[in-house]
Amino acid sequence: MFYLVGLGLYDEKDVTLRGHEIIKSCTRVYLESYTSILMVDKNRLEDFYGRAIIVADRDMVETDSDAILEGAKEKDVALLVVGDPFGATTHTDIILRARSLSIPTQVIHNASVMNAIGACGLQLYNFGQTVSIPFWTEKWRPVSWLGRIRENFELGLHTLVLLDIKVKEQSEENLA
């Protein structure tokens, strides 16, 4: 079984009880390390979950997902994700990949910035499209996000703006 487990937003104790039980039962546990940042280090997670954790960077998750999925038909494998597993398209892709390989899957949801933003007092129903603002380079300065903010403003909607966290990238094209 391949498990995609949301960890929540803050530390090792934000995981759900179901997620915690699954992590403790898995043969291999990966921590996706590039779509968001958890506020604790890998060692603290390993101590709390009682399992060794393999850090999975963008390259591993997006281009070498077979290494993560290897053996998941016979043994339990988990990919831990900060927030909720479906907060990034990458996680949808790895679930689809597992299913195409006839690997059973299960998703354990958790809190994410997409619903925690309600804590600021703005109503979730009044948010338009979420946008991501990537880091610029000398040759690459995308502004596509600006049009989405303008559209939301014209519709009287709030905009949740996600900022790039500057992690190892494969190429400038992948920054988009």
Side-chain angles (χ1 to χ4, degrees):
M1 174 80 73
F2 175 67
Y3 294 96
L4 194 55
V5 181
L7 294 180
L9 296 171
Y10 185 66
D11 66 17
E12 72 279 10
K13 294 180 182 175
D14 280 355
V15 71
T16 65
L17 182 56
R18 177 176 286 124
H20 189 248
E21 290 170 352
I22 286 168
I23 294 166
K24 289 177 74 101
S25 72
C26 284
T27 304
R28 283 193 336 273
V29 178
Y30 294 86
L31 173 63
E32 185 267 288
S33 66
Y34 74 91
T35 58
S36 192
I37 299 171
L38 197 60
M39 302 307 292
V40 296
D41 66 16
K42 181 181 95 140
N43 295 333
R44 204 157 128 191
L45 294 177
E46 290 176 332
D47 290 344
F48 185 76
Y49 299 137
R51 285 284 176 263
I53 294 176
I54 303 160
V55 175
D57 63 9
R58 182 177 200 149
D59 189 49
M60 176 178 250
V61 176
E62 290 188 351
T63 63
D64 196 22
S65 61
D66 287 346
I68 295 171
L69 298 172
E70 183 179 338
K73 283 184 184 177
E74 298 82 30
K75 301 195 182 251
D76 292 340
V77 175
L79 177 62
L80 311 181
V81 177
V82 179
D84 186 80
F86 292 132
T89 56
T90 297
H91 309 131
T92 302
D93 185 64
I94 198 166
I95 283 285
L96 294 174
R97 177 104 177 103
R99 290 177 182 165
S100 75
L101 296 169
S102 300
I103 297 170
T105 63
Q106 187 175 350
V107 177
I108 309 302
H109 294 280
N110 207 320
S112 79
V113 69
M114 302 300 279
N115 53 18
I117 191 66
C120 72
L122 300 174
Q123 295 298 313
L124 294 177
Y125 294 108
N126 293 326
F127 276 84
Q129 293 183 54
T130 299
V131 300
S132 295
I133 300 177
F135 280 100
W136 287 3
T137 67
E138 194 170 310
K139 298 178 184 178
W140 187 72
R141 297 176 183 260
V143 293
S144 56
W145 50 271
L146 191 55
R148 296 285 186 239
I149 293 174
R150 184 178 299 114
E151 289 171 13
N152 289 343
F153 178 77
E154 289 170 355
L155 293 169
L157 300 172
H158 310 302
T159 303
L160 174 59
V161 178
L162 306 175
L163 303 176
D164 196 343
I165 58 173
K166 192 75 171 181
V167 294
K168 182 177 79 174
E169 302 294 344
Q170 299 169 34
S171 66
E172 285 191 3
E173 291 79 33
N174 286 345
L175 288 168

